[in-house]
């Protein structure tokens, strides 16, 4: 099953930007769709964006036009460019496949949005 390591989180002011990275292994990366999720305190984990093996993308309405998911199949990497960040974007961000299996989640990367 997939193994992932997320990075790139941090503290940013409202309106700022961050770029998250995810290194994936354990799968044939080039044929798998990948996705970014987030979990805010006290809330369930939610799907934010996903990308197919050939680059077709989908975004949750809450991040559409602000976030961009991309991938590098040569490096087994997935990225999430986050612009115009809002306080409600604060969460731990995770990457995984769109059909995640129990036990396949990484540690995530924390995103904080505050003045």
């Amino acid at each position: 099953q997939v193994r992932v390591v997320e990075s790139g989180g941090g503290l940013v002011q409202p309106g700022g930007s961050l770029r998250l990275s995810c290194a994936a292994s354990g799968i044939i990366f080039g044929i798998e769709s990948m996705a970014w999720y987030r979990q805010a305190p006290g809330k369930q984990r939610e799907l934010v964006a996903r990308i197919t093996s050939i680059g077709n993308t989908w975004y949750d309405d809450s991040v559409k036009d602000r976030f961009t998911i991309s991938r590098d199949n040569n490096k087994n990497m997935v990225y999430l460019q986050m612009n115009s960040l809002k306080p409600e974007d604060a969460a731990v961000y995770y990457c995984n496949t769109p059909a995640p299996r129990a036990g396949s989640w990484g540690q995530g990367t924390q995103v904080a949005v505050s003045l």
Side-chain angles (χ1 to χ4, degrees):
Q1 67 179 12
V2 66
R3 294 182 295 276
V4 293
V5 178
E6 302 94 342
S7 63
L11 173 63
V12 64
Q13 293 185 351
S17 297
L18 283 173
R19 188 191 193 212
L20 307 184
S21 298
C22 169
S25 61
I27 56 175
I28 304 175
F29 186 81
I31 64 171
E32 289 278 359
S33 294
M34 293 296 295
W36 282 98
Y37 302 78
R38 67 185 179 188
Q39 187 169 20
K43 295 186 177 182
Q44 290 190 337
R45 186 151 38 202
E46 61 178 356
L47 177 64
V48 172
R50 63 175 181 253
I51 185 168
T52 68
S53 60
I54 59 171
N56 295 321
T57 58
W58 171 91
Y59 300 94
D60 185 81
D61 285 345
S62 65
V63 306
K64 199 173 293 183
D65 299 325
R66 299 189 298 121
F67 290 11
T68 302
I69 188 171
S70 61
R71 64 191 294 159
D72 184 335
N73 287 343
N74 292 322
K75 297 181 178 179
N76 286 16
M77 295 290 294
V78 186
Y79 305 100
L80 187 67
Q81 177 67 44
M82 306 188 296
N83 298 328
S84 303
L85 281 160
K86 304 176 181 180
E88 53 263 42
D89 295 318
V92 179
Y93 283 72
Y94 302 87
C95 73
N96 210 314
T97 67
R101 296 183 179 181
S104 68
W105 295 99
Q107 291 187 330
T109 186
Q110 179 81 50
V111 172
V113 184
S114 179
L115 292 172

